[in-house]
Amino acid sequence: MNGEPMYELHEREVLEKLRELNVRKVLIQTPEGLKREAQFLAEFLEKNSIESLISGDINYGACDPADKEAKMLGCDALIHLGHSYMVLNLEVPTIFIPAFAKVNVVKALSKNIEEIKKLGKKIALVTTVQHIRELNKAKEFLEKEGFEVKVGKGDGRISFPGQVLGCNFSAAKVEAEGVLFIGAGYFHPVGVALATKKPTLAINPYSGDAIWMNRETERFIRKRWAQIAKAYDAKKFGVITSTKKGQLRIGEARKIVKLLREYGKEVQLIVMNHISYQALEGFDFDAYVVVACPRVPIDDVENWRKPVLTPRELEILLGLKEDYEFDEIAG
Ligand code: SF4
């Protein structure tokens, strides 16, 4: 393969670890954005006499390790790229390589310091795993600028202090006037703003842009209320959970089924691995509730022909809640 990988893979350490574990065959699992890195790593390991298989299935999180597949394929270990360790009962030794981004976050903070000051003196600092290694540098920089910086430990689903996942914002819930999120994309900072109900500023370390989340959050809530309204007349509900290890919320799914029955609805529990609207096409339900990854009913909602809600949104629909609440998976 030509060129350098964009993320640090620590391939020498990985090789050492695999040798320690006496691994002869390994399965490499990757998210969409790290396919080249997976290929680079496979080539490197093959050159060092470790047979390497790349899983072609796209992975979205540490909640979905391919340990069972690795075992089935006779692999001695799994390498999970792009995400950090999550406490799950894994069937083969698994090495998580979080793929830290090679980008200087302090530069973007320095550029936006006047905007950051609008958050107040006492701020919570959070990021995704890609920038977690830079979090200390960011904290030191902000403290030198006179801020009191809080980095929350988070609950058991989180691997590093200050880390947020698309389904868990526990590290952002600390005593602070506002939250500073470092990272790209909208989903995480919108989740942070909704979970903390505090002013949230997102700084993209790649572009150097700073975006206040209030308008994004309002837009997000408006769209979700539209989904809730679409499900208003629904009589037959499909409640879906996923067999992915870190997304299986069977207890909560059963509670939702019970709740819907109490409200006189027809309801069926559906279990599937990869939840997609295409796979549900043949069913005759009026609406769905996804009790798995909270991104599923949100990310490509426009493609679903039927309304699709999170468990928290269903509670609003049934009149059990008034304020919008983000669906989180606690650890
Ligand atoms: Fe990410 Fe969804 Fe998995 Fe949470 S459940 S780690 S948001 S893919």
Side-chain angles (χ1 to χ4, degrees):
M1 234 186 104
N2 297 326
E4 280 272 299
M6 275 178 65
Y7 293 87
E8 289 178 12
L9 292 170
H10 305 281
E11 58 273 15
R12 299 243 154 245
E13 285 164 45
V14 173
L15 178 62
E16 223 170 272
K17 184 79 193 155
L18 292 174
R19 281 182 176 155
E20 250 171 52
L21 292 166
N22 217 4
V23 170
R24 287 210 283 234
K25 183 155 84 169
V26 71
L27 178 66
I28 303 174
Q29 180 182 27
T30 178
E32 177 71 44
L34 294 177
K35 280 180 172 162
R36 287 176 63 85
E37 279 72 11
Q39 205 179 332
F40 176 90
L41 189 60
E43 282 177 18
F44 171 80
L45 294 176
E46 294 261 346
K47 273 185 207 146
N48 285 282
S49 311
I50 294 183
E51 188 183 341
S52 303
L53 282 66
I54 301 176
S55 166
D57 289 328
I58 297 304
N59 170 264
Y60 298 97
C63 57
D64 181 23
D67 56 320
K68 222 162 64 187
E69 291 83 343
K71 196 172 173 188
M72 201 174 68
L73 291 162
C75 295
D76 314 300
L78 168 71
I79 294 177
H80 182 105
L81 281 185
H83 311 108
S84 56
Y85 176 74
M86 189 178 277
V87 185
L88 296 169
N89 197 7
L90 300 175
E91 294 180 28
V92 292
T94 300
I95 301 174
F96 287 84
I97 308 179
F100 299 118
K102 295 175 182 171
V103 59
N104 179 348
V105 301
V106 170
K107 208 168 144 198
L109 296 183
S110 171
K111 181 185 162 201
N112 293 293
I113 198 68
E114 290 311 315
E115 222 43 44
I116 300 172
K117 282 179 185 164
K118 294 179 190 164
L119 282 170
K121 273 263 172 234
K122 201 194 251 188
I123 58 173
L125 182 62
V126 289
T127 185
T128 54
V129 72
Q130 273 70 36
H131 308 292
I132 206 81
R133 259 188 1 177
E134 294 279 305
L135 206 67
N136 263 342
K137 280 188 210 155
K139 183 173 183 276
E140 277 169 24
F141 168 78
L142 292 164
E143 283 171 346
K144 273 192 200 135
E145 292 290 329
F147 293 96
E148 189 182 333
V149 183
K150 301 273 178 187
V151 175
K153 186 169 168 285
D155 65 18
R157 198 166 169 83
I158 297 298
S159 319
F160 302 99
Q163 181 192 3
V164 290
L165 298 170
C167 57
N168 188 300
F169 304 98
S170 53
K173 294 171 188 169
V174 292
E175 204 207 316
E177 293 163 71
V179 189
L180 180 58
F181 168 85
I182 299 172
Y186 286 94
F187 194 89
H188 291 89
V190 164
V192 167
L194 283 165
T196 62
K197 304 197 182 349
K198 288 188 182 148
T200 301
L201 180 66
I203 297 207
N204 182 327
Y206 302 99
S207 64
D209 294 339
I211 300 169
W212 286 96
M213 279 302 127
N214 20 1
R215 200 172 297 162
E216 294 307 323
T217 309
E218 278 165 26
R219 198 174 301 152
F220 176 90
I221 294 177
R222 254 201 318 275
K223 273 197 189 167
R224 297 314 301 170
W225 272 104
Q227 268 313 284
I228 297 169
K230 261 174 82 181
Y232 196 73
D233 294 323
K235 287 186 176 59
K236 276 187 271 179
F237 282 82
V239 173
I240 312 165
T241 191
S242 168
T243 52
K244 294 182 195 296
K245 274 188 180 166
Q247 294 187 21
L248 180 63
R249 300 160 74 186
I250 191 79
E252 185 163 3
R254 283 209 184 101
K255 273 190 210 156
I256 295 292
V257 167
K258 191 165 165 270
L259 185 67
L260 280 161
R261 287 201 177 122
E262 280 166 14
Y263 277 75
K265 308 289 185 186
E266 283 178 46
V267 54
Q268 184 59 53
L269 185 57
I270 303 165
V271 183
M272 55 205 291
N273 184 266
H274 182 67
I275 304 171
S276 72
Y277 60 93
Q278 294 104 320
L280 296 162
E281 281 294 291
F283 288 120
D284 176 30
F285 292 105
D286 303 323
Y288 292 100
V289 183
V290 173
V291 194
C293 171
R295 293 192 72 139
V296 172
I298 291 169
D299 273 352
D300 60 352
V301 66
E302 35 303 299
N303 291 324
W304 289 66
R305 283 198 306 117
K306 301 289 173 66
V308 54
L309 307 178
T310 70
R312 307 290 79 80
E313 291 164 350
L314 177 76
E315 287 162 0
I316 294 178
L317 179 79
L318 298 177
L320 299 168
K321 246 189 194 90
E322 279 184 8
D323 289 342
Y324 190 86
E325 209 180 285
F326 202 86
D327 181 31
E328 286 187 74
I329 308 178

